[in-house]
Amino acid sequence: MSTDNKLHIEVWSDVVCPFCFIGKKHYEQALAQFEHADDVVLEWKSYQLDPEFVQPDERYDLEEGLAKKYNRPVEAIHAMQQQIANTAKESGLDFDFSKAVTFNTFQAHRVLHKAKEKGLGDKAKEAFFSDYFEKGQDLGNTDVLKAEALRIGLTEEDFNDAINNDDYAYKVKQDIQEAYELGVTGVPFFVFNRKYAVSGAQPSDAFLNTLKASYDDWKEKQKTTPFINVSEQGASCDINGNCD
């Protein structure tokens, strides 16, 4: 199904980002109140909070790891995580950081791109968020990642293609590069129609207000921009000089 005639929302996020999961829920709450929800399409984009993370041989203690990374006491990290868990609970989520298995998210992002191609992008994102924050699944383990990919509707062939085809690695890197070019320094980062942005897990009212403003602007541009229905198309050249 074509999404060309839709209000396009792009979201840069990482599956180990707690506020990305919370922000997803706040956005969905806003969308449920938005009368033009059928005119909106959302696209998940890749972002890595810790692209250099290497899974150690022994179990990685998340609290100790974060304490070392940010040079803060473990007690402060624990309190922070408890506060995040309480915020998540208000959005209907049940975070359990004690079970979280930290991993390098690059492979998961490759699978998410394949899921997006198959129309399963949002379902996959929801599943991977829940796997990490609520279920303690080790998505850094290829077998676990594969099982989850199959559970959401991808085939074994889809999974193998996502993991082994360099096109999907390129798509992940392209998203991350695009985020840098847009000046994204933290996630979640929602971009509405490439004009409005919501940074972070804002309250649902903020998402609703941005939805309304971006929708009104998008509709107005549709009125003033002539639509040309191309029924036939022959050989042509694009702006990059590619001709076919």
Side-chain angles (χ1 to χ4, degrees):
M1 182 182 295
S2 174
T3 60
D4 291 343
N5 195 32
K6 299 277 189 179
L7 173 63
H8 194 196
I9 301 173
E10 300 157 286
V11 192
W12 278 264
S13 76
D14 200 357
V15 294
V16 294
C17 161
F19 290 111
C20 292
F21 199 5
I22 294 170
K24 181 179 188 294
K25 293 305 174 185
H26 290 180
Y27 165 78
E28 289 169 349
Q29 291 164 8
L31 190 66
Q33 302 175 61
F34 185 54
E35 59 181 325
H36 304 292
D38 290 342
D39 291 330
V40 176
V41 62
L42 183 141
E43 177 185 1
W44 291 101
K45 298 267 196 171
S46 300
Y47 192 90
Q48 285 198 281
L49 293 174
D50 193 355
E52 304 303 322
F53 180 81
V54 177
Q55 183 74 34
D57 293 333
E58 67 280 1
R59 179 179 171 85
Y60 178 82
D61 187 288
L62 181 58
E63 287 188 357
E64 290 183 2
L66 291 174
K68 182 178 180 180
K69 181 177 180 179
Y70 296 112
N71 194 26
R72 298 179 63 187
V74 172
E75 294 77 13
I77 298 298
H78 179 77
M80 178 190 70
Q81 289 183 335
Q82 188 58 54
Q83 185 176 9
I84 293 172
N86 291 339
T87 301
K89 193 172 289 292
E90 294 172 0
S91 301
L93 301 172
D94 187 20
F95 283 12
D96 188 346
F97 287 105
S98 68
K99 295 193 300 186
V101 181
T102 304
F103 64 103
N104 189 299
T105 60
F106 192 83
Q107 296 289 70
H109 281 297
R110 292 173 72 135
V111 175
L112 287 167
H113 267 285
K114 171 62 81 171
K116 181 165 61 174
E117 284 183 4
K118 297 289 184 174
L120 297 168
D122 198 70
K123 183 177 181 180
K125 197 74 173 186
E126 177 78 16
F128 286 4
F129 275 143
S130 182
D131 287 337
Y132 180 71
F133 288 107
E134 299 181 312
K135 301 175 183 176
Q137 293 271 44
D138 181 6
L139 294 179
N141 181 298
T142 302
D143 292 336
V144 174
L145 183 61
K146 180 178 179 178
E148 287 303 285
L150 298 183
R151 187 175 67 82
I152 63 168
L154 293 179
T155 65
E156 187 167 350
E157 182 181 1
D158 290 333
F159 178 80
N160 291 335
D161 190 35
I163 294 299
N164 298 310
N165 188 332
D166 287 342
D167 287 349
Y168 293 97
Y170 174 76
K171 290 176 187 290
V172 175
K173 293 176 182 178
Q174 188 177 45
D175 280 354
I176 295 171
Q177 179 60 36
E178 191 175 18
Y180 291 150
E181 290 171 358
L182 288 172
V184 177
T185 57
V187 288
F189 194 82
F190 291 74
V191 176
F192 296 69
N193 202 34
R194 282 297 168 118
K195 182 172 182 179
Y196 297 85
V198 173
S199 179
Q202 298 287 335
S204 59
D205 285 349
F207 283 105
L208 183 57
N209 291 336
T210 309
L211 274 168
K212 291 176 179 177
S214 56
Y215 180 84
D216 289 344
D217 182 71
W218 173 71
K219 289 297 287 185
E220 189 61 34
K221 286 184 177 178
Q222 281 194 317
K223 293 178 185 177
T224 58
T225 303
F227 176 73
I228 302 173
N229 183 12
V230 181
S231 58
E232 300 282 349
Q233 183 169 342
S236 63
C237 296
D238 63 21
I239 60 174
N240 297 313
N242 299 311
C243 299
D244 54 31

